Amino acid sequence: MLLLLCPLALELLLTKSISLCKAIKYCIGPTVLSIGFTIMVDSIMWKKILWPEFEVFWFNSVLNRSSEWGTHSFHWYFTSALPRSLLAAYPLFLLGVLIDRRVLVFVLPVFSFILLYSKLPHKELRFIISSVPMLNLSAAVAANRIFNNRKKTLWKFLNLIMLGLFFISLGCTLVFFLASYDNYPSGNALKDLHQMGHLNNTDELWVHIDTFSAMNGISRFCENDSPWRYSKEEGIPLEEFFRRNFTYLVSEQLDVDGFKCLQHASGFSRVRLQSSLPPIILVKEPKLYIHGNTKIKDIMQINWAGCS
């Protein structure tokens, strides 16, 4: 948010829309209040003095370690993230800047914000999602101009293109929604495990959740009360699991020593086009697996769906 506010503030100061004294006056109060609240809440929850936003800023920007979570090219926001999020609004936003110069005042700070964020190797759409409303404003200006002039020859052609883009956006939104629905399979895997994996002759059922599963659908809201217990310990070698006291594993690994694969959970893989109806098929494939400890015979007596 600071990267977005800085270009906005600079523009307001350069255009003399606000004075430096007023900017400091109106910003210092909310800043101190916000930082105070976030430090207080997170310090209580983490049981140590902690300013979480500064920790993230230090890790991502100062230490430049965000690349440990994956990297994209410098232009990724402009060539991939924004086209997929804005859809029809993306070409309209570019047109809006060209046909109405007043829009440039609003778009330029946002463009600068995205450009600054592009320098970070690790990129995610959520980092720049706050820029989308302003880009939609530019798109709305273009759509309004096209619609109001739709009776003129050239603008009539542009109006037909715009309507076509709207229908394409609607179709893409539907496909994205269906793909997202199947994009977090580990939540379904844990739900199935709770329904089928209960054992009557044990006090505790220990479930290990690996990093992939924790990032793709499993949260604390998915967990059940006793006898279920959960571990998200990272860095355990595959050959070490059979020495641990885990009852089940929810893992992206198909084979784990000392455990038998009981069931898989499928997730979205890709879109496939075909000549028959429906023209678009969402292809799913196994993304992670439920494993049971081979030492516990009762697990093997349950009618699992299998991993094949």
Side-chain angles (χ1 to χ4, degrees):
M1 294 307 298
L2 282 174
L3 282 177
L4 176 60
L5 290 174
C6 285
L8 287 172
L10 183 62
E11 183 183 68
L12 291 172
L13 290 171
L14 291 175
T15 57
K16 296 182 179 179
S17 300
I18 189 171
S19 68
L20 182 61
C21 291
K22 279 190 175 181
I24 295 172
K25 176 184 174 183
Y26 289 121
C27 289
I28 195 166
T31 300
V32 172
L33 192 65
S34 299
I35 293 174
F37 268 120
T38 191
I39 290 176
M40 181 184 70
V41 171
D42 278 80
S43 296
I44 291 171
M45 299 186 74
W46 288 96
K47 298 179 181 179
K48 64 178 181 179
I49 301 298
L50 182 68
W51 181 6
E53 289 80 12
F54 181 78
E55 293 275 339
V56 172
F57 171 76
W58 186 265
F59 182 89
N60 286 341
S61 301
V62 179
L63 300 179
N64 198 24
R65 293 180 57 191
S66 60
S67 57
E68 294 177 10
W69 300 100
T71 61
H72 289 288
S73 56
F74 180 84
H75 56 79
W76 184 79
Y77 285 130
F78 298 101
T79 57
S80 181
L82 287 174
R84 283 185 288 113
S85 58
L86 292 172
L87 297 175
Y90 194 60
L92 289 174
F93 128 70
L94 297 172
L95 183 61
V97 175
L98 294 175
I99 64 177
D100 194 331
R101 294 300 174 86
R102 295 173 299 175
V103 174
L104 193 62
V105 178
F106 301 100
V107 172
L108 190 59
V110 173
F111 179 82
S112 303
F113 158 68
I114 300 171
L115 206 60
L116 286 170
Y117 239 127
S118 295
K119 290 182 68 66
L120 275 180
H122 178 66
K123 296 176 176 64
E124 294 183 37
L125 174 61
R126 63 188 178 94
F127 294 164
I128 62 158
I129 198 70
S130 53
S131 66
V132 169
M134 200 64 75
L135 301 180
N136 276 331
L137 169 67
S138 178
V141 169
N144 181 65
R145 178 72 66 87
I146 292 171
F147 182 77
N148 289 339
N149 293 279
R150 67 189 182 279
K151 293 184 180 179
K152 300 176 182 178
T153 305
L154 176 61
W155 293 95
K156 184 184 292 184
F157 178 67
L158 290 176
N159 187 55
L160 290 173
I161 293 175
M162 183 177 71
L163 292 175
L165 288 173
F166 286 158
F167 281 110
I168 292 171
S169 289
L170 181 62
C172 289
T173 301
L174 181 62
V175 172
F176 291 166
F177 169 77
L178 294 174
S180 298
Y181 182 81
D182 292 320
N183 216 24
Y184 298 92
S186 55
N188 292 327
L190 191 61
K191 180 182 177 182
D192 293 341
L193 180 58
H194 288 152
Q195 291 175 345
M196 299 185 62
H198 186 81
L199 305 177
N200 295 321
N201 59 348
T202 183
D203 295 329
E204 290 184 340
L205 298 171
W206 272 99
V207 181
H208 182 270
I209 299 165
D210 71 354
T211 304
F212 179 85
S213 302
M215 293 172 61
N216 288 276
I218 291 180
S219 69
R220 294 294 297 274
F221 296 103
C222 300
E223 296 178 3
N224 278 359
D225 296 329
S226 180
W228 295 96
R229 303 287 299 277
Y230 306 90
S231 169
K232 294 182 182 179
E233 182 182 349
E234 298 181 26
I236 303 176
L238 286 178
E239 62 272 11
E240 180 69 20
F241 279 105
F242 79 94
R243 299 191 186 97
R244 302 292 188 98
N245 197 30
F246 294 122
T247 314
Y248 296 103
L249 308 178
V250 181
S251 172
E252 65 174 324
Q253 301 295 331
L254 178 58
D255 298 306
V256 181
D257 290 343
F259 288 81
K260 180 181 178 181
C261 186
L262 306 171
Q263 189 166 313
H264 72 260
S266 295
F268 171 75
S269 175
R270 63 189 184 277
V271 173
R272 189 179 72 202
L273 301 178
Q274 59 180 24
S275 55
S276 58
L277 292 176
I280 297 176
I281 297 293
L282 301 183
V283 180
K284 296 194 291 184
E285 63 182 25
K287 293 289 185 178
L288 51 90
Y289 307 90
I290 300 173
H291 300 272
N293 194 320
T294 55
K295 296 177 183 177
I296 304 174
K297 302 303 180 185
D298 289 348
I299 294 177
M300 306 305 154
Q301 296 176 4
I302 299 173
N303 187 24
W304 299 96
C307 294
S308 58

